[in-house]
Amino acid sequence: MKITKAYCEQADRIVNIYQARILFSEQTPNACGERKRLDFLCSDEQCRSLIIPPKITGTNYTVSFEKEDKFIAPHYKINSKYKHHPMCDWLIKEQEETLVEEALLAGAVDEGLLPNRYKRVAKGKVHDVIDQFWLDDSVCDEETLVVIPKESVERVKTNSRLRTVKASNQNNKNAIKVASLKSNVLHELVSCFLGLTVEERKKTSLKIGKNGKKRSYYQCFHSIKNLASHSWLENIIFYGGVVITKRYGNASAPKGYILQFYDEITIKVGVADSKSTRDVKVSLYLKADDIRELPFGNQYIEILNTVYENEKTHYIKCFLFLPNNPRYNYTDKYEWKVDVILPSLKYVDFIPALKGTRGN
């Protein structure tokens, strides 16, 4: 059984694994620099009302950005020592998804109509990949009606936990509504991107914004080198390796950082000769106070300090979400540096890496 949300005892609320990572990072470290692991129970209220409520294990959410040398996806794991309530939502969901997966593998359901997680099942690999992304709360709930072959439903109909949903526009009671996976946190989307191979990125669809068009992950993520071509690239996440060229203040009380991408972009220079071009560096200035307001803000400060103090061994993979044309602030006409101004720091995400691991 696979779950995506759990009840956090310390926070007294239900959280996904990325929210759990935020809660963990916001704790004040003890004298040894360590934070206390969180305790999780099943998100289903009926399960939590049991004499022995089933515990859930959180994995990789405590991995320190400072020590991390490769991307590791956090997730929840079921704890086999505990039993769940017979009407647990996750048990029901597992049954429904099993029916859809069986129908998919049997060729009875159109794979193209299903959310990404089912397409992955068809290829023998299960992973919750985001279907729709936006930074505000306008991401709409989308559900797909999947009609399951009658014989599949009959096989498990004796189990009263199975919920079938009657289609409003079809005379078929053997239907299940499956929801697309949505997110408004850039770090979650970046995590999905990094968890896919290049071929999977080309074949896995993503819709950015409720009015956006479906494109592949490969089409939605571009190297920072393509930033100058953004006029034809709408709703794009740009990425590349960066170094910290300057830190204002010290490690214990930083005031801000200047980040510069390794890769340059080619821009037109000069009004009279529109064909004249120059390769220029792209930089970002980040205020420490703004960073602390972000999810994972404390850990981002750790990343930036570690990279700045260990520039020979560490660097950062930086991801920028640009829904519209970026605002350029051209500075220092002799060095031809370009500063990108973001609407807010919600539009940036960091992944640490060791030098020599600059792969995408």
Side-chain angles (χ1 to χ4, degrees), residues 102-244:
E102 288 179 356
L104 176 59
L105 294 172
V109 175
D110 183 357
E111 178 186 306
L113 299 177
L114 294 174
N116 286 326
R117 64 181 182 276
Y118 291 106
K119 298 171 187 176
R120 305 272 285 166
V121 167
K123 298 172 178 59
K125 186 178 179 182
V126 179
H127 183 44
D128 282 329
V129 179
I130 291 170
D131 299 277
Q132 187 178 1
F133 170 78
W134 197 244
L135 277 180
D136 57 29
D137 295 328
S138 67
V139 179
C140 55
D141 289 308
E142 292 186 353
E143 289 187 324
T144 302
L145 190 67
V146 180
V147 179
I148 307 301
K150 186 175 181 180
E151 56 272 18
S152 297
V153 176
E154 292 294 335
R155 200 160 54 247
V156 292
K157 219 169 190 179
T158 54
N159 191 329
S160 60
R161 290 177 297 173
L162 176 65
R163 299 182 301 183
T164 55
V165 182
K166 184 175 181 179
S168 58
N169 58 346
Q170 299 183 47
N171 295 321
N172 194 323
K173 296 181 179 180
N174 303 328
I176 294 174
K177 284 185 177 179
V178 294
S180 299
L181 187 61
K182 61 175 185 174
S183 174
N184 57 6
V185 178
L186 181 58
H187 185 74
E188 294 184 25
L189 184 65
V190 169
S191 297
C192 288
F193 173 76
L194 294 175
L196 299 170
T197 66
V198 173
E199 279 305 308
E200 288 167 344
R201 293 170 189 171
K202 293 179 179 179
K203 297 177 181 178
T204 306
S205 62
L206 173 64
K207 182 179 177 182
I208 298 182
K210 63 181 180 180
N211 297 319
K213 296 180 180 179
K214 275 190 176 182
R215 292 176 292 177
S216 69
Y217 268 74
Y218 188 82
Q219 293 171 316
C220 292
F221 284 77
H222 283 256
S223 166
I224 193 68
K225 291 184 289 186
N226 294 327
L227 185 64
S229 305
H230 188 57
S231 58
W232 56 270
L233 298 173
E234 184 182 3
N235 287 337
I236 294 298
I237 295 91
F238 291 94
Y239 63 91
V242 298
V243 292
I244 302 173

Side-chain angles (χ1 to χ4, degrees), residues 46 53 56 63 106 108 155 228 232 244 261 270 275 277 279-280 313 342:
Q46 298 172 100
I56 302 298
V63 174
R155 200 160 54 247
W232 56 270
I244 302 173
F261 283 88
K275 294 183 179 179
T277 61
D279 292 335
V280 298
T313 56
L342 299 171

Side-chain angles (χ1 to χ4, degrees), residues 245 258-261 281-285 337-341:
T245 58
I258 293 181
L259 280 63
Q260 188 175 85
F261 283 88
K281 293 286 188 180
V282 179
S283 297
L284 290 171
Y285 172 70
K337 185 178 67 173
V338 174
D339 289 335
V340 175
I341 302 174

